[in-house]
Structure formats: C-alpha cells, structure tokens
C-alpha cells in the first residue's frame, strides 16, 4: 500500500500539481502518517540494509 | 594462478561482492526477497524493478564456485540461498510473453531479456539448478521471435542465452534459435572489422560482444565465430593504449569501460594492457562505475578468475 501512495504522489506532482506548496504539504502528510505513525514505525525505522559479514554465519 | 591476476582481481571482486549483496533484499520474510534493485525494494523511489539487477546472481554464483584466498563467499549456504532467491524473483517479474522490463512497465526490453536470461541460465548451469526451465523456455521462445539489429552486443547476448537454454533444456528448437541469431549477427559485421553498435563502432560495447562470443566459442569451438572474434579484437587492438584505455569521444556510444574476459580467453595483448592499467590504477573497474554497470563488469572479472581457477564460466 505505501509504495502505491508514494507512486501516486509522484505521478500527481509530475502531471497535475507541479507546485512546491503542494509537494511540501504532501511531504508533511507522508511524514505524519507513514513515518511517525506508531503502527508503521517498525517498517520505517531507518535501516540501510547493507550487507554485514555476520549474515554469512 | 598468475600472481598479478590474484593481487589485482581478488580485492576488486571481494569489495564488489559487499556492494552487490547490498543491492539485494536478503530478508526471507519480505515479499521482495531476492530482488536486487535496491531503489525499488528498499528506497521505493521507483515503482518497478529493473530486471537487469537480477544478473547479480551470476556474479554471486561465480564467487560461490571459485575458491581463492579471502573468498568468504565460497560455498557459503546463505549466499546460495540468496542466489536461489534472486532466480526466483527473476521468474516472478518475467512478463507473460517471456520478456522482461528494464526502464518502464510493458517495455518488453530486448537487452533486458537477452542479458538477464544469459546470466540466469549461466547461473543455472554453473550450480546445476533444475528449476526454472519453464521460465527459460518462455524467454527463449520470445528471443527467437525478436531481434535488435541496431546493437550487435545485445544480439551476442541473445546467442549466449539461447545456447544456454538449449543446453539446459535439451530442446532442439533452441539450437536452431542460437544458430539463427548468429546468422543475424553476421549481418551486423562491417568490413573494417567491427560489429555495428547503433551508428558505428563502440569499443566498450564491442568488448561486451567479444566477451559473450568468447564464452560461446569456448564450448562450441565454432570456427567462423572465432574468425569474427579475431577480427573484432584486431580492430580494437590498434585503438586501445598501453593501459587498456582508449579515446571514447569518437565512438558510437562513447562508453568508457572495457570488458576483459574475451581478451583473457585468447591471451590477447590487450589483456596485458588491461592488467597494466589496473596496476597503475587508471582504468574503470566494477568499483568505479555506477550500480547499473557494476554488476555486468564484475561478472566479466569473476569469469576470468573462475576460468583461471580451472572452472568454465
């Protein structure tokens, strides 16, 4: 679901809105609901997910 | 194994392995487990994965099967699991007609199909995988129905792909397929000694073509292809300097890299110049190109080590 939301926002920005004000408003919505939302927190904890040598164990 | 080859290649390949593994989703609980397009599965900055990143599995398979000092990935079961996941994900993103996307949805990209099928089928042969035959056949049939007669290196990739599919499946139609592709490729040969890459000759692309044809020649011993390779290498020889670099400003695609495998197979002087360039630290290596080109160039280097260690890529 979340990748779809990001994708829709990208498409709307490119095609219809084309506005800094709208992009900033969307950014606030995304941060509030997708990143800070406690239910989603574990999914959006910053993790680079680069390879670690421990993964070979 | 040659000492300079060891000292030059080992650190490049081991460092590249860390990078390539980072491209991949190694979380077996994730829906995108096995996807190697990090911009898609991790950052979600693009909406569709580039199938060409799945060529990573061939690079990992070569490391998995090549013992050398410091190679912590050799015969590692987790690496094998990630390779299997990468093959499975490649099957998941295959389009219904057997082709693949690179840059956008419904692209049915010839290069993505030819090159990923070549890499995946090479992996399957190297690791004796018995799954994925249906996907390979679907892609093989698509490749047999399509060509890209502007770009010879892509056609060479298709030859390798169909050759491998024939050997994986044993089905004669794919033997007819690679032979037909070779006859099409022949029409792209120019009397000056190079194959057409869009509007003319491109050294980087030609080195990719030579790499694919060299691998095909090693198994097939096709004398006519050997002649093509010799002429192509002769054309490039006079344009590549003592460090393996060349003036790319006048070439058709202005690529800057050199794929060394073909020159290695035939012990051509350009390979020694390539090693000289590595020694002097002044040529592009898999560590110095972008993510997209890191993988296929790393595969070419890994094929050399695997070959030198007694294996066949």
């Amino acid at each position: 679901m979340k990748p779809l939301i990001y994708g829709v926002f990208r498409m709307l920005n490119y095609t219809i809105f084309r506005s800094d004000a709208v992009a900033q408003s969307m950014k606030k919505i995304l941060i509030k609901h997708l990143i800070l939302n406690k239910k989603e927190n574990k999914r959006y904890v910053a993790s680079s997910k680069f390879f670690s040598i421990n993964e070979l164990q | 194994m040659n000492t300079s080859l060891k000292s030059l290649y080992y650190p490049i390949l081991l460092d590249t392995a860390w990078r390539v593994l980072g491209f991949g989703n190694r979380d077996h609980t994730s829906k995108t487990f096995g996807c190697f397009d990090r911009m898609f599965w991790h950052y979600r900055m693009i909406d569709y994965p580039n199938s060409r990143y799945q060529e990573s599995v061939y690079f990992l398979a070569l490391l998995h099967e090549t013992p050398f000092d410091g190679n912590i990935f050799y015969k590692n079961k987790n690496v094998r699991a990630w390779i299997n996941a990468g093959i499975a994900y490649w099957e998941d993103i295959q389009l219904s007609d057997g082709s693949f996307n690179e840059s956008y949805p419904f692209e049915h990209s010839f290069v993505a199909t030819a090159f990923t099928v070549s890499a995946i089928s090479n992996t399957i042969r190297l690791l004796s995988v018995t799954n994925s035959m249906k996907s390979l056949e679907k892609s093989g049939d698509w490749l047999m129905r399509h060509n890209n007669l502007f770009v010879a290196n892509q056609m060479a990739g298709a030859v390798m792909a169909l050759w491998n599919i024939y050997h994986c499946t044993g089905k004669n139609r794919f033997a007819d397929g690679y032979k037909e592709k070779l006859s099409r490729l022949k029409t792209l040969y120019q009397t000056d000694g190079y194959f057409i890459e869009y509007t003319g000759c491109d050294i980087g692309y030609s080195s990719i073509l030579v790499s694919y044809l060299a691998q095909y020649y090693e198994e097939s011993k096709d004398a006519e292809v050997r002649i093509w390779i010799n002429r192509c290498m002769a054309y490039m020889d006079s344009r590549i300097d003592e460090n393996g670099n060349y003036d790319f400003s006048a070439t058709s695609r202005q690529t800057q890299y050199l794929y060394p495998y073909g020159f290695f197979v035939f012990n051509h002087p350009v390979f020694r110049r390539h090693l000289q360039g590595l020694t002097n630290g002044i040529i592009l290596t898999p560590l110095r190109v972008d993510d997209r080109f890191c993988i296929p160039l790393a595969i070419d280097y890994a094929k050399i080590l695997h070959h030198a260690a007694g294996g066949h890529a």
Side-chain angles (χ1 to χ4, degrees), chain B residues 46-62:
Chain B
I46 56 175
D47 304 313
Y48 295 88
N50 175 349
S51 64
R52 291 215 48 203
Y53 281 94
Q54 299 312 109
E55 293 169 38
S56 299
V57 303
Y58 186 29
F59 172 67
L60 295 175
L62 286 164

Side-chain angles (χ1 to χ4, degrees), chain B residues 6-287:
Chain B
K6 285 184 199 177
S7 64
L8 293 169
Y9 270 45
Y10 287 5
I12 289 174
L13 288 177
L14 292 175
D15 277 351
T16 302
W18 281 69
R19 189 175 167 197
V20 171
L21 283 166
F23 293 163
N25 187 344
R26 304 173 306 285
D27 177 1
H28 67 94
T29 67
S30 169
K31 282 183 193 170
T32 51
F33 176 46
C35 176
F36 277 81
D37 189 344
R38 190 176 163 88
M39 291 298 279
F40 171 71
W41 68 262
H42 180 49
Y43 292 115
R44 302 188 180 117
M45 286 182 174
I46 56 175
D47 304 313
Y48 295 88
N50 175 349
S51 64
R52 291 215 48 203
Y53 281 94
Q54 299 312 109
E55 293 169 38
S56 299
V57 303
Y58 186 29
F59 172 67
L60 295 175
L62 286 164
L63 289 186
H64 185 271
E65 296 298 301
T66 309
F68 60 87
D69 292 343
N71 183 8
I72 54 177
F73 310 103
Y74 176 64
K75 299 294 188 189
N76 182 280
K77 61 175 173 47
N78 291 344
V79 172
R80 180 62 193 260
W82 297 326
I83 293 168
N84 291 344
I87 295 173
Y89 191 81
W90 173 82
E91 290 192 85
D92 280 349
I93 60 176
Q94 186 181 42
L95 300 178
S96 59
D97 64 354
S99 66
F100 290 86
N101 296 330
E102 180 179 21
S103 306
Y104 53 88
F106 311 113
E107 181 185 2
H108 304 277
S109 163
F110 185 85
V111 64
T113 308
F115 285 8
T116 64
V117 172
S118 177
I120 297 292
S121 58
N122 272 322
T123 304
I124 284 171
R125 293 184 72 194
L126 189 60
L127 300 178
S128 303
V129 172
T130 52
N131 301 336
S132 313
M133 293 301 124
K134 282 203 167 73
S135 300
L136 283 184
E137 285 190 42
K138 210 194 285 190
S139 289
D141 287 325
W142 187 91
L143 281 171
M144 282 163 53
R145 296 194 302 273
H146 295 82
N147 294 291
N148 187 345
L149 295 178
F150 294 107
V151 192
N153 76 90
Q154 294 181 15
M155 293 293 284
V159 167
M160 193 68 229
L162 288 164
W163 168 265
N164 278 343
I165 295 173
Y166 169 59
H167 285 279
C168 288
T169 64
K171 299 205 172 161
N172 288 337
R173 69 181 189 273
F174 299 114
D176 295 335
Y178 78 76
K179 290 173 191 168
E180 196 269 343
K181 280 290 174 272
L182 281 170
S183 68
R184 297 272 193 169
L185 179 56
K186 192 174 177 179
T187 66
L188 303 181
Y189 178 75
Q190 308 297 294
T191 50
D192 286 356
Y194 64 88
F195 286 84
I196 281 278
E197 304 288 355
Y198 291 104
T199 56
C201 176
D202 186 273
I203 303 289
Y205 275 15
S206 292
S207 69
I208 295 175
L209 175 142
V210 166
S211 178
Y212 275 123
L213 292 185
Q215 189 176 355
Y216 163 74
Y217 173 78
E218 284 186 284
E219 289 189 65
S220 68
K221 305 301 180 200
D222 187 326
E224 187 178 15
V225 168
R226 177 68 197 264
I227 293 172
W228 302 352
I229 295 170
N230 286 346
R231 289 180 182 163
C232 205
M233 288 196 296
Y235 181 87
M236 289 192 277
D237 188 355
S238 59
R239 291 160 173 82
I240 295 173
D241 70 21
E242 66 276 7
N243 285 300
N245 280 324
Y246 53 89
D247 178 6
F248 55 84
S249 63
T251 58
S252 65
R253 302 300 289 163
Q254 298 187 4
T255 55
Q256 298 164 257
Y257 44 71
L258 191 76
Y259 281 50
Y261 183 70
F263 298 102
F264 164 79
V265 165
F266 298 106
N267 197 22
H268 193 276
V270 165
F271 185 71
R272 288 186 282 287
R273 292 180 223 161
H274 157 78
L275 291 181
Q276 187 61 47
L278 281 180
T279 303
N280 294 337
I282 58 171
I283 60 170
L284 286 178
T285 72
L287 295 171

